[in-house]
Amino acid sequence: MRNRYLDLLRALAVVRVVVYHVTGWATMTLVFPAMSVMFALAGSLMAASLHRFGTAAVGRRLRRLLPSLWVLAAVFVPAMLLTGLPLTPKVLLWLFPVSDPPANDWGALALSPIWYLRNYLWFVLVSPLAWWLFRRAPLPTLVAPYALTAAIELGLYPDPPMVVQQFGLYLGAWMLGFAHQEGMLRRLPNRFLWPTAVALVAVGGWWNFTQPGTRGFDLNGNPLANALWSAGVILVVLGREPARTAWIDRNAIFSRAVTLINRRALTVYLWHMAFVVALTPLVDVVGWSHQNPIGLAIRVVLVFALLGVVILLIGWVEDIAARRRPELIPGGRRRAAPPEAADQPVAPRAPEAGTTGERSVVPVPRASETGRTETGVRDVDAR
């Protein structure tokens, strides 16, 4: 039985990322730090897989992630090769992006969300070891990534490699997902959870406003503020997960939208920036400035409409990767829960599910939410 609350959080996070990249509104990173929440959800699901399958969970997770990337690469890599991308062995990184795969100028922006998949692969590969450490020393394992980010930002560890920066920034959220799967967050008493969450948000907010990053008050440009603020939000949204979730499925349209976004989360995430980039010239042609709410709303609608076309054309690849029956539009035949079971508490463990970046948009679209990159696809933040 799926955990519909986690489905809802993932759907909200994916929609928030797309809207952020169209509008460039920095406040959205404060209201809902979507990328950290997505890593936390992925960490919880990975822990569930490790519980059930052991180290074989790594292969299962890679099988679900990579086919959607390969479809994207099959379209964009030949186009980039025809428009100036050198054909080198590094192109093979598009098959397994443990490092940033190469891209030309336009491709680097349109394909910037690859940073998320790169980090995801790293975390999946280290998860068996991280899980082993977490179960033996949960608190030190959980605190370590945040301590690493603090050491980097305070100058105690200057100029670390990009991989170290990313582990410091997002592995903590992944570990909070482990804690959620183990039930640790739910068991935290209110007298501890709420003050801790408020303190993390307060310190993260204070650091963000007194030590603004590369994007002003946008959390994507301030790793320490991002990590702390996000940790506080994750503590609340996962630690106080509602016991009953029947309300999510009471409206058939809303329920199907949540299911659709979850079943096509990778497709939406990997393709949306290409459409944001393609529609950006409309700002000049039609005169839709980033301060024009009607113009922004139209661009958001157009991006989601184009995503709908891609979902119909290739979204079913996610079904095959998950070994489900392929569907053009998922979620159409959801069986209603029996009346006596409709309000049953959520099961403590969530079963496996699919997964699910930003430089400022308008007139240039926001690149995906993240940190820095060394070569290849730019880590334009998209949280």
Side-chain angles (χ1 to χ4, degrees):
M1 180 178 176
R2 293 185 64 90
N3 185 326
R4 292 295 280 168
Y5 178 68
L6 298 191
D7 285 351
L8 176 62
L9 286 180
R10 186 183 297 104
L12 292 175
V14 171
V15 170
R16 205 287 274 153
V17 167
V18 176
V19 175
Y20 169 85
H21 283 150
V22 176
T23 64
W25 291 338
T27 52
M28 298 187 76
T29 66
L30 297 167
V31 173
F32 191 53
M35 297 311 301
S36 293
V37 170
M38 285 162 61
F39 278 117
L41 295 174
S44 180
L45 294 170
M46 187 67 197
S49 294
L50 289 167
H51 259 301
R52 186 175 179 186
F53 303 109
T55 56
V58 173
R60 295 174 63 89
R61 188 60 57 186
L62 296 180
R63 186 199 73 219
R64 297 175 73 116
L65 287 172
L66 294 175
S68 294
L69 170 66
W70 295 339
V71 172
L72 180 83
V75 174
F76 281 95
V77 171
M80 289 190 293
L81 290 172
L82 291 173
T83 55
L85 178 67
L87 180 58
T88 68
K90 286 188 175 182
V91 170
L92 294 176
L93 286 171
W94 282 102
L95 298 177
F96 198 80
V98 288
S99 181
D100 291 318
N104 60 5
D105 288 341
W106 65 265
L109 187 57
L111 303 174
S112 56
I114 294 297
W115 77 267
Y116 170 75
L117 204 61
R118 179 204 66 209
N119 283 19
Y120 198 113
L121 290 178
W122 288 345
F123 296 165
V124 166
L125 293 174
V126 303
S127 278
L129 175 60
W131 179 243
W132 183 87
L133 292 171
F134 181 81
R135 300 192 75 181
R136 282 153 183 80
L139 187 58
T141 307
L142 178 59
V143 170
Y146 297 99
L148 175 59
T149 296
I152 294 171
E153 294 302 303
L154 295 174
L156 303 177
Y157 183 11
D159 300 320
M162 182 264 293
V163 61
V164 175
Q165 298 172 23
Q166 295 295 295
F167 266 76
L169 178 54
Y170 291 115
L171 188 63
W174 191 272
M175 294 293 102
L176 283 171
F178 281 8
H180 168 262
Q181 184 58 220
E182 286 294 277
M184 295 177 180
L185 302 186
R186 287 188 298 273
R187 293 194 296 268
L188 287 176
N190 284 331
R191 66 179 183 274
F192 178 82
L193 183 143
W194 285 103
T196 302
V198 169
L200 287 168
V201 169
V203 175
W206 170 80
W207 185 264
N208 195 41
F209 283 93
T210 60
Q211 306 290 331
T214 57
R215 303 179 187 184
F217 298 132
D218 189 323
L219 284 179
N220 291 322
N222 196 324
L224 181 57
N226 188 358
L228 296 176
W229 184 286
S230 299
V233 172
I234 292 168
L235 275 180
V236 174
V237 298
L238 291 185
R240 289 301 170 261
E241 175 182 354
R244 305 178 190 279
T245 59
W247 52 273
I248 297 174
D249 293 316
R250 284 186 182 134
N251 182 286
I253 296 175
F254 181 74
S255 174
R256 187 166 190 183
V258 170
T259 300
L260 172 65
I261 295 171
N262 273 269
R263 293 283 183 88
R264 299 295 181 259
L266 266 179
T267 302
V268 172
Y269 189 80
L270 290 174
W271 285 83
H272 78 278
M273 271 303 294
F275 298 137
V276 174
V277 171
L279 291 174
T280 295
L282 289 176
V283 175
D284 298 321
V285 174
V286 186
W288 292 341
S289 77
H290 65 287
Q291 296 177 335
N292 183 331
I294 296 177
L296 283 178
I298 293 173
R299 291 175 64 205
V300 170
V301 170
L302 288 175
V303 168
F304 277 105
L306 291 170
L307 285 170
V309 174
V310 170
I311 285 172
L312 289 174
L313 293 175
I314 61 171
W316 50 266
V317 171
E318 292 196 59
D319 291 329
I320 294 176
R323 296 182 178 175
R324 295 188 297 257
R325 181 175 60 84
E327 297 178 279
L328 287 181
I329 305 177
R333 297 182 179 177
R334 227 184 132 68
R335 290 185 300 179
E340 67 276 8
D343 281 325
Q344 290 301 309
V346 175
R349 296 200 187 284
E352 250 192 334
T355 72
T356 59
E358 315 175 18
R359 188 187 297 196
S360 205
V361 109
V362 199
V364 177
R366 256 206 204 269
S368 16
E369 305 186 62
T370 175
R372 302 101 172 162
T373 183
E374 296 173 331
T375 59
V377 176
R378 293 175 198 136
D379 262 4
V380 266
D381 300 2
R383 295 160 206 150

